[in-house]
Amino acid sequence: MSRFLNVLRSWLVMVSVIAAGNTLQSFRDHSFLSEKLYTGSPGLVNGLQARTFGIWTLLSSVIRCLCAIDIRNQTYCATEHYLPAPGTDCPLLYYITLFTFFMALVHFLSEVFIYHTAALTIGVMAPLMVASFSILGMLIGLQYLEVEALSENKKKN
């Protein structure tokens, strides 16, 4: 495995652990969200919203941790519309993990610029930077996975 993929795996574990901590904080005290994230409309934050945010964060944490454990997870792609070609293996867990970062990025950007429930404070900038760096790292890592898959195919042939 390439050095970059090992660094990416470590990054995913770190982000996953931090997200798990944010999950616990969301369940413990919902004022965490109104004081750190949704400072534009803190009155909209209640216990239910905090627990929903916590579950969403926990799900993202688990997906990211699973990807870090098995970054080459090859899941059979059964649809004819999915690239690569049908019947070949593809890193589906990797794509799902990448999508969690896109979702986080869109969520926080929309809260700041569309709904105005959050301001560009350090509490919002941190997840925006983590999501952005993670997307960049995972897109680069995808190239490494493709190169490894090609070299594996050459060895088999």
Side-chain angles (χ1 to χ4, degrees):
M1 181 177 300
S2 74
R3 183 179 176 98
F4 184 85
L5 287 177
N6 282 328
V7 170
L8 181 59
R9 291 175 67 210
S10 298
W11 171 260
L12 289 173
V13 168
M14 182 187 70
V15 170
S16 178
V17 168
I18 292 169
N22 287 339
T23 296
L24 293 175
Q25 187 67 29
S26 294
F27 279 99
R28 193 178 69 80
D29 181 15
H30 74 270
S31 66
F32 161 76
L33 292 177
S34 60
E35 293 170 1
K36 302 291 183 200
L37 293 177
Y38 303 105
T39 57
S41 298
L44 294 177
V45 178
N46 59 34
L48 176 60
Q49 190 269 339
R51 291 187 301 274
T52 303
F53 182 86
I55 289 295
W56 173 66
T57 305
L58 179 62
L59 178 60
S60 294
S61 174
V62 169
I63 290 170
R64 293 165 184 172
C65 187
L66 290 173
C67 185
I69 291 168
D70 187 11
I71 201 161
R72 287 192 201 115
N73 179 284
Q74 298 292 304
T75 306
Y76 180 74
C77 297
T79 69
E80 62 186 58
H81 303 291
Y82 190 87
L83 295 176
T88 62
D89 290 335
C90 61
L92 194 56
L93 179 59
Y94 194 91
Y95 289 121
I96 292 169
T97 304
L98 178 60
F99 186 68
T100 67
F101 290 113
F102 276 113
M103 284 185 0
L105 185 67
V106 168
H107 169 73
F108 287 110
L109 287 174
S110 68
E111 293 299 330
V112 171
F113 296 110
I114 297 172
Y115 303 113
H116 307 289
T117 55
L120 284 176
T121 62
I122 190 67
V124 172
M125 291 299 292
L128 286 174
M129 288 189 300
V130 167
S132 299
F133 291 143
S134 299
I135 289 168
L136 180 62
M138 291 197 72
L139 289 174
I140 293 168
L142 195 55
Q143 302 303 312
Y144 281 93
L145 286 174
E146 289 173 0
V147 167
E148 285 185 3
L150 287 173
S151 66
E152 282 292 318
N153 284 341
K154 286 182 180 179
K155 287 179 185 176
K156 287 179 184 178
N157 294 334

